[in-house]
Amino acid sequence: MTLSPFSLADRVAVVLGGTSGLGRTLALGLADAGADVVVSARRQALVDATASEIAAKGRKTLRVLSDVRNKESLVRLRDAVLGAFGKVDILVNAAGVTRKLPTLEMSEGDWNDILDTNLTGTLRGCQVFGEPMLKRGYGRVINIASLGTNLGLYQVAAYCASKAGVGSLTKSLAVEWSRHGVLVNAIVPGVFRTDLNAALLDGSERGREFLMRTPMGRYGKAEELVGAAVFLASDACTFVTGELLVVDGGFLASGVNQ
C-alpha cells in the first residue's frame, strides 16, 4: 500500500518547547500523523506528562530536559535522540516568551531575555539539529513565527523584533540549506487562545481588537495549526522552503472589517 505524502510514519520529530501551549498541540499532532516525537523543555513534570501522551498513541519518545538558552543542553538532547533513533527528520522550534510593557520601561535584561529565547534560541535549535540533517541530506525545520513577524503589536516591541528575526532567519537558512535536502519553513499563527494568554485576551480591549481584526470573528483553536505542521513536516512539501505559512483566520489580509 502506498503511503500518503502527508504520512509521517517512520519519521522522528523533536519539538523544542513542546510541553505546553501550541508546541504541545503540534507535538501530539505529529504523533497522530505517525511520527515518533520527542518533546523537550525545562520542566521535567511537563516533559513526562507530554511524553506519556505520545506513548499512549503508540509512538516512541524520550524524556530529556533542555533549555533553548543553553546550547549544551540541546547538544545533549540531540545526542540522546540520535542514540535512540539514529536520526532526526523533523525539528519544530516552538519555545517562546513575551512580556507586555511600554518600551521606555523595558530593561536591557528583559529585551535580551526575550531575544535570547525566541530568536537566538531558534538559531541554537537549528544549528544543533541542522548539523545531522545536513550530513544526512534530509530534514524538515519548522519555526514558529508570529503576527509580530509582519506587524507591530502594542507594547511588545522585543517580542515583535524577535519574531521578525525568526522570519528572516527562516528565509536565510532556506537559502543556505535547501540545496542540501533540509527544508526550512515557518508557521505564522494568528491569535490562538491558550492558557498563557487567556487572561490577556478575555474581556480586554486588546482581545476585542484582535477579534475585530480577524475576519473569521473568533480566536483560533490550537488543533487548527496541526495541518500546517504536518504538511511542512511531510513529503507533501518537497518543493516548499523559505515559506512563512500563515494560519490566522484572515488577520493579515484584514483592512476594514466593519
Side-chain angles (χ1 to χ4, degrees):
M1 183 177 67
T2 303
L3 289 176
S4 163
F6 294 97
S7 172
L8 300 182
D10 299 320
R11 302 291 169 82
V12 177
V14 173
V15 184
L16 301 178
T19 61
S20 62
L22 299 180
R24 174 180 169 276
T25 299
L26 294 179
L28 297 175
L30 295 176
D32 285 334
D36 295 322
V37 182
V38 176
V39 296
S40 190
R42 293 180 292 168
R43 289 178 282 182
Q44 189 70 58
L46 294 180
V47 170
D48 290 342
T50 309
S52 294
E53 291 183 86
I54 292 167
K57 296 177 181 292
R59 309 302 178 206
K60 298 176 183 177
T61 189
L62 298 176
R63 302 172 185 232
V64 182
L65 295 179
S66 69
D67 183 345
V68 298
R69 299 173 300 180
N70 183 309
K71 190 172 184 177
E72 288 73 22
S73 75
L74 297 178
V75 171
R76 288 192 296 270
L77 172 64
R78 178 199 65 195
D79 291 348
V81 174
L82 292 176
F85 297 98
K87 62 176 183 173
V88 178
D89 298 297
I90 303 155
L91 171 68
V92 180
N93 284 301
V97 296
T98 189
R99 186 180 178 193
K100 180 179 180 291
L101 77 167
T103 303
L104 287 181
E105 297 176 15
M106 174 172 288
S107 69
E108 286 193 13
D110 288 332
W111 174 273
N112 290 335
D113 181 63
I114 292 169
L115 266 72
D116 190 41
T117 300
N118 296 358
L119 178 54
T120 311
T122 296
L123 171 65
R124 293 185 187 105
C126 290
Q127 287 179 322
V128 169
F129 288 91
E131 182 179 358
M133 289 179 175
L134 289 165
K135 286 180 179 178
R136 182 168 160 241
Y138 181 92
R140 301 286 187 268
V141 177
I142 305 171
N143 297 324
I144 303 302
S146 164
L147 293 175
T149 302
N150 302 78
L151 301 171
L153 302 175
Y154 184 65
Q155 291 189 342
V156 285
Y159 176 79
C160 290
S162 70
K163 290 298 188 176
V166 168
S168 181
L169 177 63
T170 297
K171 294 176 183 180
S172 294
L173 291 180
V175 170
E176 189 173 344
W177 291 359
S178 296
R179 70 191 63 188
H180 305 294
V182 179
L183 308 184
V184 186
N185 293 286
I187 296 173
V188 181
V191 185
F192 287 76
R193 189 182 183 280
T194 69
D195 291 340
L196 297 177
N197 67 11
L200 179 65
L201 295 179
D202 293 347
S204 70
E205 289 300 319
R206 191 180 187 90
R208 281 187 282 273
E209 183 174 355
F210 276 132
L211 284 178
M212 180 189 72
R213 290 174 177 268
T214 302
M216 290 185 71
R218 63 174 176 86
Y219 301 133
K221 301 173 184 177
E223 58 268 23
E224 291 178 302
L225 280 179
V226 170
V230 171
F231 167 63
L232 293 176
S234 74
D235 282 344
C237 79
T238 52
F239 203 57
V240 178
T241 194
E243 180 68 22
L244 276 60
L245 179 55
V246 179
V247 185
D248 71 346
F251 192 106
L252 290 178
S254 174
V256 176
N257 285 300
Q258 56 186 332

